[in-house]
Amino acid sequence: MSKFKTVIWPTVILFGDSITQFSFQVNGWGADIADKLARKCDVVNRGLSGYNSRWAKIVLPRLISSQSSAENNNIAAVTVFFGANDCALEDKNPQQHVPLHEYSENLKEITGLLAAAGVSADRVIFITPPPIYEPAWEKECILKGCPLNRHNSVVGQYAQACVQAAAQCSTDVLDLWTLMQKDGQDYSVYLSDGLHLSEKGNQFVAQHLWRLLQSRVADLPFILPYWGDVDAKSPESSLLCDQ
């Protein structure tokens, strides 16, 4: 039987669609967060490209089991970042579209599923979909042989529903749709194709999300001793301690 304590790393789980899945790419917002938390916390990418909130609530119990509540207590935070696919126009993209009211209810259900697994609402952060830059996204749609299938005004309705759901669930929320358009700024610079994030957009998300994450991870200790503090003559005494 092992005489030393296994090192258990806290986790931050990023749960969302393609904007989350792509967040570990070079200069991605998820990679930035993971870099900030190195030696303190594992950042786990659970982004599922193309998914909407309806599918998300179905698969969530497969990703975070309620049978592992003790393990889930080690989850420092979970980001829930859906809506960019839910808001697709029903007549143009019925497969991904989720009605506004159902989207709101799905977010609440996701919070409930997390709570049932031992992840309390104060550890959950909702992220609204970013704005859509229609001229660029329309070009992408035409290349795929379909008409423009999202409108920024509709995205705004889903963003507002996300903010309201967060208030009802007592979770934090990062309202990208509003922040990226604040003071009439040119938000197209935050988007690579009108829908997904550009390098500048990734920086924007990382910067604003970190402000919300900091309070949840500030007290996490540096895992395993700094190399300069290891006793060179008896490294076991430093490396097999409970730190």
Side-chain angles (χ1 to χ4, degrees), residues 10 37 40-41 76 216-222:
L37 290 175
K40 287 194 168 189
C41 191
R216 294 166 172 83
V217 299
D219 295 332
L220 293 178
F222 192 73

Side-chain angles (χ1 to χ4, degrees), residues 28-176:
W29 61 270
D32 185 282
I33 296 296
D35 180 58
K36 283 183 169 68
L37 290 175
R39 291 287 290 275
K40 287 194 168 189
C41 191
D42 282 340
V43 178
V44 181
N45 188 328
R46 291 293 179 264
L48 303 164
S49 180
Y51 276 50
N52 56 33
S53 64
R54 180 185 295 160
W55 303 343
K57 73 175 184 182
I58 295 172
V59 301
L60 181 58
R62 301 186 66 188
L63 304 180
I64 303 178
S65 172
S66 60
Q67 305 302 315
S68 309
S69 289
E71 182 180 318
N72 294 342
N73 284 333
N74 215 41
I75 296 174
V78 178
T79 60
V80 179
F81 193 174
F82 291 95
N85 296 315
D86 299 66
C87 71
L89 304 175
E90 184 175 13
D91 60 335
K92 301 292 194 303
N93 186 352
Q95 184 176 8
Q96 292 179 301
H97 170 79
V98 171
L100 185 62
H101 177 71
E102 183 190 340
Y103 167 69
S104 177
E105 292 303 310
N106 289 342
L107 292 179
K108 296 174 191 175
E109 190 167 340
I110 286 170
T111 307
L113 290 168
L114 288 170
V119 182
S120 53
D122 62 326
R123 287 183 274 164
V124 178
I125 300 171
F126 286 173
I127 306 176
T128 77
I132 293 281
Y133 184 61
E134 293 176 23
W137 184 242
E138 185 170 25
K139 290 179 181 178
E140 293 294 317
C141 290
I142 290 171
L143 287 174
K144 296 174 184 176
C146 61
L148 179 66
N149 57 22
R150 288 164 173 81
H151 291 317
N152 193 41
S153 60
V154 176
V155 184
Q157 296 173 17
Y158 282 74
Q160 184 178 14
C162 180
V163 171
Q164 292 172 346
Q168 292 168 351
C169 295
S170 300
T171 71
D172 269 339
V173 62
L174 174 55
D175 185 358
L176 291 180

